[in-house]
Amino acid sequence: MNINRFFAWGVLAIRDFSHRRWWRWCCLALITASLILLSHPSRDVVVAQTLDSETVEVDGIPLFELSSSKEFPAEDRARTVNQSLQTLVNTSTKAEVIVDFSNDLPVLKVEVGAKQPLYLLTVNSQDADLSSPEVTARTWQKKLQQAINRGQDERANPGRLVAIGALCLLLALIAHWGIGWFWRQKLFKLLPRATVDPTTGDQPQSLRFLLKVIFYCLRIALWVGTIGFICGLFPWTRNGIYLIINTLIQTFSTPFIPAGGKSYSVLDVALLLLLLAGLMNLAKTVQHLLRSRVLGATGLNRGAQEAVAFVANYVLLFIGAMVLFQLWGFDLSSLAVFASVLGVGIGLGLQGFAKNFISGMVLIFEQPIKVGDFVKVGEYQGTVERINVRSTEIRTLDQVSIIVPNSEFLESEVVNWDHGTSVSRLQIPVGVAYGTNPRKVREALMDVVAEYSSVRKDPPPRVFFTEFGDNSLNFLLLVWIDEPQKQFSIKSDLNFRIETILRHRGIEIPFPQRDLHVRSGKLPLELPEELVNSFTQLTQNLEVWLQQQSSKGISSEIHAAENANSSHQDEAAN
């Protein structure tokens, strides 16, 4: 109950404090400055540690450094002391560390029960670098006594360590949930209103990506720290964690990448890349703020705002990168070789990229097209949404994004309805049937655009009687509009209105038709003489054949009639 009440008080305090916007910007600036300062590796500070020294440690916890003596090297001394300490912490018998000053140099010993004191080490003048051997011996005595007591206590009460580990795991789960709740419910509400896009109501994508990276890094750091702390509670796992951490530190912090006359480690390079990524996201966020908040109040058109924001973005990237490299200690003169190689690459393999890059610069500064213009490039037409260094994004009327290389706008014909002015003219052809009064047609067309809000009054609409067509009297309606991107919908609306008004006023809209008239009479034909002679001979032969056939038919009929008469006579005689 107390924990819940404390958590609620904390939330209320944060909510009350969040009404002050200035502190959020201060926190953001403080975090950025801290990252820059931490990212700059101090090349001048050298750790005062001799190479001929070894660490005395108990259960993975380092205590102090031993130097070499006249008789024994530092490695042998540290190994003997570590073995003796490990034997002492594994026993349950109480051990007390004492200092023997009977000799010339102080000696550290351990009394275990009634036995003779166990010798640990002798503190020499090399061990006491900044003080006397006696003072160093007293300091080491306290450290050794605390380490032995802690090791014996941890082995005697493992249940307490398990309980602490379970509590830490529970707190990590609560913190994990709290980070997610803060991300989903509170983070974007606490950000300044200047970071919100007025059109969409959301933060820009670059800022959301940066915050998401920080969010995941916090969770990863939380669990890495929790696991490391829990493993460090138990003496059996502490040695392994100690070895792993030392190995990782030595691996990633050892400089072996030469650049600019110096060497850098993997950790240095990773941190530099992280800062460069943060710089890119910061530049994108500043560009968005300029475009949506600052430049919008200056009265500049959308294309000029995009140009200024674009230049500001890359100027900030260039200056920020130079500052980071200088703070990093990187010699920028070494970039001369890289610049020469890059120039050769541009001349050989990056010709297309260089051409589009230069074309993008021309488009941004000369502005034959700019963001917000309604253009037609090839078979595509739409509104220019964004001009980048390599390509331009066009949003078509179908709400599809078309990525066009910048060189296309300079090498091919481009129709820009918004260049200079956004006023453009529409031509709508209309045909009516013959016999219609042209004045009535003109009045009807003027009435069509009289009450239509998308058509400009200045210049006024006009109607032209263009020609006497094959099937109709052809007229042309000319109107001027302010929104070229809506020309298709405006033209469709006007056609609907034209058809309705002409139908109500009884004006016929004809359709194409043809009349075919066939006259009777002889058609004069001219045939070749050979063909005429052939047809004549064929006709004569046909007449002879018909006469022969007809004569044969008549003789057969006479013969049949005679036979019939003779038969009738015979029947009468009988």
Side-chain angles (χ1 to χ4, degrees):
M1 184 65 182
N2 294 331
I3 296 176
N4 295 333
R5 184 177 300 174
F6 177 78
F7 182 73
W9 286 347
V11 171
L12 290 176
I14 293 175
R15 182 180 302 174
D16 294 337
F17 195 53
S18 65
H19 292 292
R20 301 180 181 180
R21 298 178 185 173
W22 59 269
W23 77 272
R24 287 169 280 183
W25 289 105
C26 293
C27 290
L28 182 61
L30 182 61
I31 292 173
T32 305
S34 300
L35 286 175
I36 294 175
L37 292 176
L38 290 175
S39 65
H40 175 48
S42 179
R43 307 294 179 183
D44 300 329
V45 179
V46 180
V47 179
Q49 179 180 354
T50 60
L51 296 177
D52 193 11
S53 63
E54 286 295 332
T55 304
V56 174
E57 52 92 19
V58 177
D59 290 336
I61 301 177
L63 301 179
F64 48 83
E65 297 287 334
L66 283 181
S67 301
S68 298
S69 62
K70 296 180 181 179
E71 295 82 5
F72 302 101
E75 182 179 359
D76 294 341
R77 295 181 65 197
R79 182 172 59 252
T80 302
V81 175
N82 289 335
Q83 291 176 355
S84 301
L85 292 175
Q86 196 64 39
T87 303
L88 290 172
V89 297
N90 286 329
T91 61
S92 58
T93 306
K94 183 178 180 180
E96 182 177 358
V97 181
I98 60 175
V99 181
D100 185 3
F101 294 101
S102 59
N103 299 321
D104 296 335
L105 295 175
V107 178
L108 292 174
K109 299 180 179 180
V110 179
E111 292 182 349
V112 182
K115 299 181 180 179
Q116 290 292 330
L118 177 64
Y119 171 82
L120 282 181
L121 60 96
T122 301
V123 181
N124 54 32
S125 57
Q126 288 80 12
D127 296 329
D129 189 13
L130 300 178
S131 60
S132 62
E134 290 78 9
V135 175
T136 303
R138 293 292 186 186
T139 304
W140 288 3
Q141 177 192 11
K142 295 179 181 179
K143 291 183 177 180
L144 290 172
Q145 188 65 55
Q146 293 175 358
I148 293 173
N149 294 337
R150 181 176 59 249
Q152 292 179 346
D153 183 66
E154 289 173 350
R155 287 165 174 77
N157 301 298
R160 182 173 60 87
L161 301 179
V162 173
I164 295 175
L167 180 60
C168 292
L169 186 61
L170 179 61
L171 293 176
L173 290 173
I174 295 174
H176 181 90
W177 174 85
I179 293 174
W181 174 84
F182 181 76
W183 166 269
R184 293 186 299 270
Q185 302 293 333
K186 295 295 181 182
L187 178 60
F188 294 103
K189 295 180 181 179
L190 295 177
L191 291 176
R193 292 184 180 179
T195 61
V196 179
D197 192 343
T199 58
T200 61
D202 297 328
Q203 276 74 20
Q205 190 67 26
S206 58
L207 180 59
R208 296 183 69 90
F209 175 76
L210 179 61
L211 294 177
K212 185 177 291 186
V213 170
I214 296 175
F215 167 74
Y216 283 113
C217 289
L218 284 177
R219 281 191 166 179
I220 292 174
L222 171 66
W223 284 108
V224 170
T226 302
I227 294 174
F229 179 77
I230 293 176
C231 293
L233 289 175
F234 302 94
W236 308 280
T237 58
R238 192 182 299 138
N239 287 324
I241 293 296
Y242 177 74
L243 292 177
I244 292 174
I245 292 176
N246 280 343
T247 303
L248 292 177
I249 290 175
Q250 293 178 2
T251 301
F252 291 107
S253 63
T254 301
F256 69 96
I257 303 176
K262 296 181 180 180
S263 296
Y264 298 88
S265 64
V266 175
L267 188 60
D268 296 338
V269 175
L271 196 53
L272 177 61
L273 294 178
L274 181 62
L275 287 173
L276 289 176
L279 176 63
M280 295 176 62
N281 279 274
L282 180 61
K284 284 289 185 182
T285 304
V286 171
Q287 180 185 11
H288 170 76
L289 293 177
L290 282 175
R291 183 171 56 244
S292 61
R293 297 292 179 181
V294 178
L295 298 176
T298 60
L300 296 175
N301 57 40
R302 186 179 175 186
Q305 294 179 19
E306 286 290 336
V308 173
F310 175 84
V311 173
N313 177 31
Y314 283 93
V315 168
L316 181 60
L317 279 177
F318 178 78
I319 295 177
M322 294 300 101
V323 171
L324 281 180
F325 283 129
Q326 290 290 341
L327 291 177
W328 203 257
F330 190 79
D331 187 9
L332 297 179
S333 62
S334 60
L335 295 178
V337 178
F338 175 76
S340 61
V341 174
L342 182 62
V344 175
I346 291 177
L348 297 177
L350 302 178
Q351 294 181 1
F353 178 82
K355 179 174 66 174
N356 290 320
F357 179 82
I358 296 174
S359 301
M361 294 294 102
V362 173
L363 293 178
I364 289 172
F365 291 101
E366 185 180 339
Q367 293 189 350
I369 65 169
K370 53 185 179 296
V371 176
D373 287 354
F374 187 75
V375 299
K376 179 180 180 182
V377 184
E379 60 180 358
Y380 302 109
Q381 53 184 343
T383 304
V384 178
E385 293 292 332
R386 189 174 293 105
I387 299 177
N388 298 318
V389 294
R390 190 194 65 83
S391 60
T392 297
E393 178 183 349
I394 296 178
R395 177 74 66 173
T396 65
L397 298 178
D398 298 329
Q399 299 302 311
V400 177
S401 294
I402 304 297
I403 308 300
V404 182
N406 289 330
S407 58
E408 292 292 327
F409 293 94
L410 302 180
E411 297 177 354
S412 60
E413 294 182 356
V414 179
V415 179
N416 187 354
W417 278 277
D418 290 315
H419 187 64
T421 176
S422 60
V423 178
S424 59
R425 189 179 70 178
L426 290 183
Q427 301 181 10
I428 303 176
V430 180
V432 299
Y434 275 93
T436 305
N437 189 347
R439 296 184 180 276
K440 292 183 178 181
V441 177
R442 183 180 183 279
E443 292 176 359
L445 295 180
M446 293 301 292
D447 291 340
V448 167
V449 298
E451 299 179 357
Y452 191 61
S453 59
S454 297
V455 174
R456 288 176 57 91
K457 305 302 180 183
D458 184 25
R462 303 186 66 182
V463 177
F464 290 94
F465 191 165
T466 57
E467 63 177 351
F468 295 92
D470 295 337
N471 306 295
S472 61
L473 303 175
N474 295 330
F475 296 83
L476 187 63
L477 174 62
L478 301 180
V479 296
W480 281 260
I481 60 175
D482 289 325
E483 299 173 306
Q485 64 273 16
K486 296 183 179 179
Q487 57 180 300
F488 298 102
S489 61
I490 293 174
K491 195 171 184 178
S492 176
D493 293 341
L494 291 177
N495 285 330
F496 275 113
R497 295 169 67 91
I498 289 172
E499 192 278 333
T500 303
I501 290 181
L502 294 183
R503 178 162 40 83
H504 287 172
R505 299 188 181 185
I507 300 176
E508 180 184 356
I509 300 176
F511 55 88
Q513 55 185 353
R514 294 289 185 273
D515 295 333
L516 180 62
H517 298 278
V518 180
R519 297 180 179 180
S520 60
K522 296 181 180 180
L523 296 176
L525 296 176
E526 295 183 0
L527 298 177
E529 184 178 356
E530 293 80 1
L531 184 60
V532 172
N533 295 334
S534 299
F535 277 119
T536 302
Q537 185 177 0
L538 179 62
T539 303
Q540 293 175 355
N541 293 335
L542 182 60
E543 289 178 353
V544 173
W545 182 79
L546 289 174
Q547 290 177 0
Q548 292 176 356
Q549 294 296 325
S550 60
S551 62
K552 289 181 181 181
I554 293 172
S555 61
S556 62
E557 289 179 356
I558 294 172
H559 182 69
E562 290 178 351
N563 290 335
N565 291 329
S566 62
S567 62
H568 285 301
Q569 291 177 0
D570 293 339
E571 289 179 356
N574 293 330

